Every structure is written in C-alpha cells, then in structure tokens.
Amino acid sequence: QNTYAAKPFELAIPLAKEDVIFEHGGIWPFGVKGGEHPLGHPGIDFEAREGTPILAAADGIVGFTGESGHHKYKTISIFHENNFDTYYTGPMKGIKVGKGGRVKQGDVIAYYALPEAGWPSIHLGLQRKVPDEAVCPVDYFSEQAKKEIEELFAKAFYNEQKEFPLLCNPCPEGGCR
C-alpha cells in the first residue's frame, strides 16, 4: 500500500489555451535534459504573450511569492491538501496573491512579463512533498486539460525533441531537478 497516495485532484493548465504561443517553441516538456536541467526539467514551460494572465492550476493556499534565484524570475507556490504543491516560475508582474492567501482553480495569480533574457515562458511545476520529488503535472490534469495540452504539444518544437519526444519524459533515478 502506498502510504503517500494523494487525494484525487485535477489540475488545469495555468493559462488559457489560446494564450500559448509558438514563437520560440511553445511548450518545453517535463523530463527534458538540456539547458540548465542536466537531470531533467522538473515541470512544463508554456510560452505566452506579454500580459497573459497566469491562473492557479488548483485550489490551495499560497506558500511563497518572491524571487526564485533562476534568472531573477518570480516564483509563486501553492500548497494543496493532498501532499502536493504547484509552483509557477517566470517573468511575472502584477502578482495578485500573498503568502497565506487562499486561491481557487482558475484565479488570476499574476501576469506574464516578457523577460529581458532567457526563454519566454511560465514554468508549471508539481512537487510531491513526501517523498520530496517533482512529478509530471499532466498525470494530474483534468481530462479537458489533458486534451488541451496534447493539442498544444502537437505544435511544440524544441532542440531536444528527438531525444525527448514525450510531454512527460521519464526522470532519471533520483528525480528531475
């Protein structure tokens, strides 16, 4: 028996489907080894337009908002009642939430801001707290969100596509980081 089994919950994509753009690739999937992720990318990146609303993927309590240390991007983390937290990292402005605040799925938590440098995207990560590990968010998307992201991913292009063709590529032993 898995003592860490999560209560069922369904994530939504953290931006409207029509707000994902494909100027620099569109989507960078989970588990890709490349760039600054030699052990695998621990989330999914969505390329977006300036001012795109970033949405809470699930109900929860805001655990952190601030600098991530990754290209001086901002991070928002949201804790869920099921041993998981989602986190959103990227160039953001107009952050609408603060530590301890409650959010509902689909609430606007911030707006996307074009970066001065780096890949123009919002990162959605899903972290299991016990044991501490990154997991592919797609495994927890609602059926509608899975359908939408599969349609979007069919248009994606990225340098590592031949080696890592899946939306959820496996992480090495020890996990993606």
Side-chain angles (χ1 to χ4, degrees):
Q1 176 179 330
N2 181 357
T3 59
Y4 302 113
K7 294 177 190 174
F9 78 124
E10 294 185 335
L11 296 175
I13 296 173
L15 62 162
K17 177 182 167 184
E18 57 273 8
D19 288 334
V20 177
I21 62 173
F22 296 87
E23 292 177 11
H24 300 278
I27 293 175
W28 204 50
F30 183 87
V32 172
K33 295 174 190 79
E36 296 177 12
H37 300 284
L39 297 178
H41 184 233
I44 296 174
D45 290 354
F46 297 88
E47 183 182 1
R49 288 181 186 81
E50 171 80 24
T52 294
I54 302 164
L55 312 172
D59 297 356
I61 298 172
V62 177
F64 174 81
T65 64
E67 294 265 334
S68 71
H70 185 67
H71 296 291
K72 297 185 180 179
Y73 288 157
K74 304 275 189 232
T75 291
I76 299 171
S77 66
I78 300 174
F79 300 122
H80 307 287
E81 296 179 10
N82 55 11
N83 192 37
F84 285 93
D85 59 301
T86 51
Y87 62 96
Y88 313 76
T89 300
M92 293 184 260
K93 62 184 178 183
I95 293 177
K96 302 282 186 199
V97 296
K99 185 174 181 173
R102 291 191 173 276
V103 296
K104 293 283 190 192
Q105 184 178 68
D107 285 354
V108 175
I109 58 174
Y111 295 90
Y112 176 73
L114 286 175
E116 292 179 23
W119 203 65
S121 66
I122 290 298
H123 174 90
L124 170 66
L126 179 63
Q127 192 77 20
R128 183 177 288 127
K129 292 184 264 187
V130 178
D132 181 23
E133 65 182 340
V135 294
C136 185
V138 176
D139 295 338
Y140 296 89
F141 279 174
S142 69
E143 288 305 314
Q144 179 63 34
K146 283 180 186 176
K147 180 181 175 192
E148 289 177 1
I149 197 166
E150 287 169 1
E151 289 172 11
L152 291 167
F153 188 62
K155 301 176 194 175
F157 57 94
Y158 48 98
N159 291 339
E160 305 84 1
Q161 201 160 12
K162 284 187 180 179
E163 188 177 354
F164 300 98
L166 306 174
L167 190 51
C168 291
N169 296 282
C171 290
E173 189 174 324
C176 290
R177 299 194 195 296

